[in-house]
Amino acid sequence: MPVITFKYQDLKDLGINIKKDELIDTLPMMSSDIEDFDDEEIKVEFFPNRPDNLSVEGVARSFKGFIGQEIGLPNYEVTPSGEFVVVDEQVAKIRPYIAFAKIEGVDFKGDKLKYIMDFQENLHWVIGRDRKKVAIGIHNADVVNAPYKYIATAKDENEFIPLEKSSTMTPYEILTKHEKGVDYAHLIEDFDKYPLILDKDNQILSMPPIINGELTKLKEDTANIIVDVTGTDEKAVNQTLNIICSSFAEVGGKIKSMEVRYVDKSIVSPDLSPQIKNVHVDVTNKLIGGTDLNAEEIHKLLLKTRFDAEIINENELKVFIPSYRIDILHEVDIVENIAVQYRINNVVAKLPNVNTVAHENDWIKSENTIREVMIGLGFQEIMSLMLTNEKAHYTNMLQKEEDHVQVSRPITIDRTMIRTSLINSLMEFLEDNKHEDLPQKIFEIGDVLYLDESKENKVRTSKKLAGLICHSTANFTEIKSVVTSTVSNLGYSMEISDSENPSFISGRASDLKGDSKNSSIRGFFGEISPEVISNFNLEYPVIAFEIEFIS
């Protein structure tokens, strides 16, 4: 999870005068964990659903509400700058959306410049999917002139000096020679042209999502800035800009809006208008449990969470949610914030008023049988997370990327989606344990998730079993024998056919299907492709199978 570091003095400078011990005791009640602290600094880990708390200004804002020092919706004034950016229609194929804002009267003295850089990178991880979805640029506004242009340029045109360099480079040279360019080239290298942001005089501010220009580098004496946010998701782009602008406004930054002119529309950013949702008293008490809050009490708690609220009647309130609170998607999210302000430790535990006789879940019985069969065949069980990432799940396995469930605000870049297969998790386990003796025989029983429009929640959970064997002479005959024994011991018939699964060696893989009295199975097995083995940094042959249970 994102960790931010700040000094106790920073909170004092922001108007919070609190003893260190009290601060340490209070912060965990605000959905955070204390990673480390000493006499001067504290490291705090905030949950990824609260990117607004990834700056010391955001922490101070939330903390003031929690202790009742400042309550209600923060009011940030936004005045027009009269400036605009023109978006070239050719850039739509690469990174189609951009949001701009100007902020005057900023202060980067002392540690503040480092803080904003850390804040920017944390937002890249939490919202931006390591810059794929959203990328942020912060520039010295006093060295460039409006209006601005967001264009797509050829690979060898528009040379500029990238950040921390002393000589000019073409966009293509940046992608192939600059350390940041090499790290993030995969985001745009498949396109014929690359995005650039230029000013009126064709001075280059940045090459999003790769690198800013040295021209607009921030310094301690920088007083006015331009913030650009580009990306592939318009909503995420604007939400990110709102979070950044709100953070600067907390320390006196004056927000100036800018117009973004697309070919077919014009948008003014940032828009810091509050979101409006309703919350119900009975729903609140039911979801929290152990409370008997009334509308007045809920109103006071909502003000402490830095929302505004109006009581409509004794069972309903209208809630005004600040633009930087991008985690509020449903009434349940509002109730969660009420519970945090009420303080979870104050909720009285109660036994449910239900009389039932428990019995073991049918799948758990089946799972235990599967486990016994696999252990009997000499396999060792592992348990991995359902979360994985597109590179490991698709690219490394030579699979074509399909529609899948994505994590809205991933904790880390290697946990951005929910798996549809178990194989890559097993391969990663082998990679982490390649120092162990061979042969290695591992299996996993786990859930996967598919998108399914026919379901109420648009997803379908499926149960799978997968196994891997790694040693110097692993081959198709061995894995076929394992699969045959497994399927037979579980009471299924089995039919096999040739497989075209790209993760396996052509001609050395099979698809399978089978039936029993109550359910059916489908899956595949074979010898893993040498390219896949290399992608996971393994050195010996790997054979694998995966079986899906269909009720």
Side-chain angles (χ1 to χ4, degrees):
M1 294 187 190
V3 176
I4 68 168
T5 303
F6 55 87
K7 296 178 180 178
Y8 302 111
Q9 185 61 44
D10 295 325
L11 290 183
K12 291 183 179 180
D13 293 342
L14 290 165
I16 298 175
N17 192 6
I18 188 170
K19 293 181 180 179
K20 181 182 71 174
D21 292 343
E22 187 178 352
L23 176 68
I24 299 299
D25 290 340
T26 305
L27 277 173
M29 300 185 211
M30 298 170 50
S31 301
S32 68
D33 289 324
I34 306 296
E35 285 287 299
D36 193 15
F37 63 91
D38 56 27
D39 291 336
E40 293 186 2
E41 286 188 337
I42 181 170
K43 292 183 179 181
V44 188
E45 180 181 71
F46 279 96
F47 298 158
N49 68 320
R50 290 297 304 271
D52 56 293
N53 280 341
L54 298 180
S55 68
V56 65
E57 295 84 9
V59 174
R61 176 177 54 207
S62 296
F63 196 87
K64 288 175 182 177
F66 194 80
I67 63 177
Q69 181 175 331
E70 287 183 12
I71 59 174
L73 190 77
N75 181 28
Y76 304 125
E77 183 181 7
V78 181
T79 58
S81 68
E83 299 179 1
F84 62 90
V85 56
V86 178
V87 180
D88 185 339
E89 61 180 341
Q90 293 187 39
V91 84
K93 298 178 181 178
I94 313 168
R95 295 183 72 80
Y97 303 109
I98 187 169
F100 253 67
K102 191 170 187 178
I103 305 176
E104 298 177 345
V106 297
D107 178 10
F108 288 130
K109 294 181 177 64
D111 295 322
K112 295 182 177 64
L113 188 55
K114 178 182 180 300
Y115 287 166
I116 191 60
M117 294 298 104
D118 291 343
F119 184 32
Q120 180 180 350
E121 287 308 308
N122 280 329
L123 291 176
H124 278 152
W125 281 85
V126 174
I127 304 178
R129 295 184 181 276
D130 202 20
R131 306 192 189 190
K132 180 178 180 181
K133 187 177 181 181
V134 165
I136 305 160
I138 303 178
H139 314 276
N140 183 349
D142 296 329
V143 297
V144 289
N145 302 294
Y148 302 94
K149 296 173 284 186
Y150 182 41
I151 69 167
T153 186
K155 299 179 179 181
D156 55 355
E157 294 180 354
N158 290 297
E159 293 182 335
F160 69 102
I161 302 175
L163 199 60
E164 305 301 338
K165 298 296 179 182
S166 57
S167 58
T168 61
M169 302 176 74
T170 66
Y172 181 74
E173 288 174 334
I174 289 173
L175 294 188
T176 55
K177 298 179 181 179
H178 192 288
E179 51 271 22
K180 287 293 185 183
V182 172
D183 288 344
Y184 294 103
H186 64 279
L187 298 178
I188 59 173
E189 65 183 352
D190 292 336
F191 299 98
D192 294 331
K193 293 188 176 182
Y194 304 141
L196 288 179
I197 299 174
L198 303 86
D199 78 343
K200 175 183 177 182
D201 304 314
N202 291 324
Q203 299 183 103
I204 296 174
L205 283 71
S206 70
M207 178 185 172
I210 310 299
I211 192 75
N212 286 350
E214 182 70 13
L215 171 70
T216 59
K217 180 179 178 180
L218 301 180
K219 300 177 182 178
E220 284 198 2
D221 61 354
T222 300
N224 305 305
I225 61 172
I226 290 171
V227 181
D228 78 77
V229 184
T230 64
T232 56
D233 184 310
E234 186 173 20
K235 183 178 181 181
V237 164
N238 287 295
Q239 288 177 335
T240 303
L241 183 66
N242 290 346
I243 291 172
I244 295 172
C245 289
S246 300
S247 182
F248 275 109
E250 281 292 319
V251 286
K254 296 178 176 58
I255 305 171
K256 303 282 187 176
S257 64
M258 299 177 72
E259 183 184 0
V260 179
R261 297 180 180 178
Y262 295 96
V263 174
D264 57 347
K265 62 182 178 180
S266 180
I267 297 175
V268 175
S269 61
D271 180 3
L272 301 185
S273 304
Q275 179 187 179
I276 300 174
K277 291 184 180 294
N278 288 7
V279 67
H280 297 81
V281 174
D282 56 350
V283 172
T284 299
N285 287 312
K286 179 180 178 181
L287 290 177
I288 297 176
T291 60
D292 189 23
L293 299 169
N294 59 37
E296 286 287 349
E297 291 168 328
I298 290 174
H299 180 265
K300 291 178 181 178
L301 293 173
L302 287 169
L303 293 180
K304 291 184 68 177
T305 207
R306 304 311 303 266
F307 296 169
D308 270 349
E310 295 176 1
I311 298 176
I312 299 175
N313 54 53
E314 64 180 15
N315 190 49
E316 189 173 9
L317 298 90
K318 180 187 291 187
V319 184
F320 299 86
I321 304 155
S323 61
Y324 59 80
R325 287 299 305 273
I326 66 174
D327 58 307
I328 307 299
L329 308 176
H330 188 276
E331 182 179 7
V332 170
D333 299 314
I334 301 175
V335 174
E336 179 188 7
N337 280 266
I338 294 170
V340 169
Q341 298 304 321
Y342 183 80
R343 306 205 179 191
I344 296 296
N345 291 343
N346 293 336
V347 177
V348 179
K350 293 183 179 179
L351 289 173
N353 188 25
V354 181
N355 293 320
T356 61
V357 177
H359 63 87
E360 190 175 19
N361 181 276
D362 289 339
W363 169 251
I364 298 300
K365 294 179 182 178
S366 300
E367 190 176 278
N368 289 335
T369 302
I370 296 169
R371 188 172 289 112
E372 288 180 8
V373 170
M374 295 306 300
I375 292 173
L377 291 170
F379 283 76
Q380 181 175 353
E381 184 175 14
I382 73 159
M383 295 182 183
S384 63
L385 295 173
M386 285 184 68
L387 296 176
T388 182
N389 62 85
E390 287 80 0
K391 183 177 185 294
H393 199 68
Y394 294 111
T395 306
N396 287 358
M397 296 298 300
L398 306 184
Q399 296 285 340
K400 181 180 178 181
E401 186 169 333
E402 299 176 339
D403 290 339
H404 55 273
V405 179
Q406 295 183 335
V407 180
S408 177
R409 297 181 184 92
I411 296 172
T412 63
I413 195 62
D414 59 344
R415 297 287 180 257
T416 58
M417 62 168 282
I418 299 180
R419 65 189 180 187
T420 60
S421 170
L422 306 180
I423 297 288
N424 81 280
S425 296
L426 296 176
M427 293 293 290
E428 289 181 87
F429 182 88
L430 287 183
E431 182 180 15
D432 291 338
N433 292 275
K434 59 185 179 182
H435 57 282
E436 298 291 344
D437 293 337
L438 297 179
Q440 290 197 44
K441 300 174 70 173
I442 58 174
F443 79 97
E444 180 171 11
I445 307 166
D447 292 343
V448 300
L449 214 60
Y450 297 105
L451 292 175
D452 189 338
E453 290 295 325
S454 67
K455 302 295 183 181
E456 182 179 359
N457 61 356
K458 307 301 181 184
V459 295
R460 171 174 57 86
T461 303
S462 186
K463 307 289 186 181
K464 287 192 174 185
L465 162 68
L468 257 64
I469 301 174
C470 178
H471 61 83
S472 60
T473 59
N475 56 60
F476 179 83
T477 302
E478 181 180 3
I479 196 65
K480 181 181 178 182
S481 175
V482 167
V483 171
T484 301
S485 297
T486 302
V487 170
S488 175
N489 279 286
L490 293 177
Y492 291 92
S493 62
M494 186 175 76
E495 297 179 13
I496 65 173
S497 57
D498 292 340
S499 176
E500 299 298 327
N501 192 318
S503 298
F504 295 86
I505 299 173
S506 179
R508 299 194 181 185
S510 293
D511 292 328
L512 69 89
K513 61 180 181 179
D515 296 290
S516 68
K517 291 182 179 180
N518 301 316
S519 63
S520 60
I521 58 172
R522 63 187 173 205
F524 48 82
F525 61 90
E527 297 182 27
I528 296 288
S529 163
E531 186 175 349
V532 173
I533 293 172
S534 177
N535 288 340
F536 288 94
N537 300 306
L538 300 174
E539 300 172 355
Y540 292 93
V542 179
I543 51 179
F545 75 89
E546 182 170 279
I547 296 172
E548 181 176 5
F549 298 91
I550 306 165
S551 57

